[in-house]
Amino acid sequence: MTSDEQTRQKRAAAERAVALVESGMVVGLGAGSTAMFAIERLGARLARGELVDVRCVPASIGVGAVATRLGIALTTLETNPVIDLTIDGADEIDPQLSAIKGGGGALLREKIIAQASRREVLVVDASKLSPMLGTKHSVPVEVAPFGWRSQQRFLESLGARASLRLSPTGAPYRTDQDNHIVDCMFGPIREPETLARALSARAGIVEHGLFLGLATDVLIADATGVRHETGGERR
């Protein structure tokens, strides 16, 4: 698939997701290239008056800046602790609609927003589909800077090839929370729930990119169009 075709598919899935937004909603805005297409579409619908009184919770400082520039009103989880619908991308999705996220570095805020959402809508192109998480993508793990090498050793003890994510300058990448990210290539993960529990139990690991049982909807774009898979709405 060419990059132009992939971009077309991402945009098609994102625009279908924005069609789910209704006036008066609180909407979560994920990070990443596909989510950015959704933000652009949402801004256009608001500008045309198709939607009113939509307030959004951004998953990163950068996403918030883009939304503000497009005239999208922002709010916080402190003001609106329940989100009606979140639109986000994913790095890899399995047949159970579980996902790996965090390639863009916003996994902690994205997971907080996902857990606060009645509907978590993931938008992807077909290249993100996988028979088993870890087959195509590493698992990002956000760690506290203090003692990060001990977390790397721990992650390697779980079977990962673990490497510290670097910024374009060669310095350690810093999240919006000023943490590091260790990217962990596990290969196909046969028991993701077991791995998730091990990661969550480790002091110094702030969050991980295994998003298990959080997606209620997945919009998948391919050469034939966009299909909608659903796992149901959370209350």
Side-chain angles (χ1 to χ4, degrees), residues 192-215:
E193 293 84 3
T194 300
L195 176 59
R197 285 194 296 270
L199 297 175
S200 296
R202 175 77 175 184
I205 290 180
V206 180
E207 192 49 82
H208 56 80
L210 293 171
F211 281 57
L212 309 180
L214 289 174

Side-chain angles (χ1 to χ4, degrees), residues 136-222:
K136 295 183 176 183
H137 205 276
S138 59
V139 178
V141 178
E142 185 164 344
V143 302
F146 177 80
W148 74 264
R149 284 192 182 277
S150 67
Q151 311 315 328
Q152 183 182 38
R153 287 173 57 87
F154 170 72
L155 293 163
E156 289 170 345
S157 78
L158 298 178
R161 296 199 311 273
S163 58
L164 183 69
R165 186 179 298 186
L166 302 177
S167 68
T169 65
Y173 176 86
R174 293 277 185 163
T175 69
D176 283 350
Q177 291 71 234
D178 209 28
N179 294 317
H180 294 335
I181 287 181
V182 178
D183 289 304
C184 300
M185 182 57 74
F186 287 98
I189 303 168
R190 299 191 179 280
E191 297 182 358
E193 293 84 3
T194 300
L195 176 59
R197 285 194 296 270
L199 297 175
S200 296
R202 175 77 175 184
I205 290 180
V206 180
E207 192 49 82
H208 56 80
L210 293 171
F211 281 57
L212 309 180
L214 289 174
T216 59
D217 304 75
V218 177
L219 295 170
I220 304 159
D222 59 22

Side-chain angles (χ1 to χ4, degrees), residues 49-203:
E50 296 174 8
L51 295 169
V52 296
D53 190 30
V54 172
R55 292 149 293 155
C56 296
V57 180
S60 73
I61 294 171
V63 167
V66 171
T68 298
R69 188 169 68 246
L70 293 173
I72 298 172
L74 301 185
T75 186
T76 66
L77 283 172
E78 287 68 40
T79 302
N80 295 101
V82 178
I83 295 173
D84 295 302
L85 181 146
T86 287
I87 302 172
D88 206 347
D91 300 310
E92 188 174 12
I93 292 183
D94 72 8
Q96 290 72 47
L97 307 189
S98 288
I100 290 176
K101 290 178 45 55
L107 62 105
L108 175 57
R109 294 192 185 189
E110 286 177 331
K111 189 171 284 188
I112 291 170
I113 288 172
Q115 291 176 339
S117 299
R118 291 193 175 99
R119 293 180 75 179
E120 170 80 353
V121 182
L122 298 183
V123 290
V124 297
D125 64 88
S127 71
K128 301 300 194 301
L129 302 182
S130 171
M132 188 177 295
L133 295 182
T135 301
K136 295 183 176 183
H137 205 276
S138 59
V139 178
V141 178
E142 185 164 344
V143 302
F146 177 80
W148 74 264
R149 284 192 182 277
S150 67
Q151 311 315 328
Q152 183 182 38
R153 287 173 57 87
F154 170 72
L155 293 163
E156 289 170 345
S157 78
L158 298 178
R161 296 199 311 273
S163 58
L164 183 69
R165 186 179 298 186
L166 302 177
S167 68
T169 65
Y173 176 86
R174 293 277 185 163
T175 69
D176 283 350
Q177 291 71 234
D178 209 28
N179 294 317
H180 294 335
I181 287 181
V182 178
D183 289 304
C184 300
M185 182 57 74
F186 287 98
I189 303 168
R190 299 191 179 280
E191 297 182 358
E193 293 84 3
T194 300
L195 176 59
R197 285 194 296 270
L199 297 175
S200 296
R202 175 77 175 184

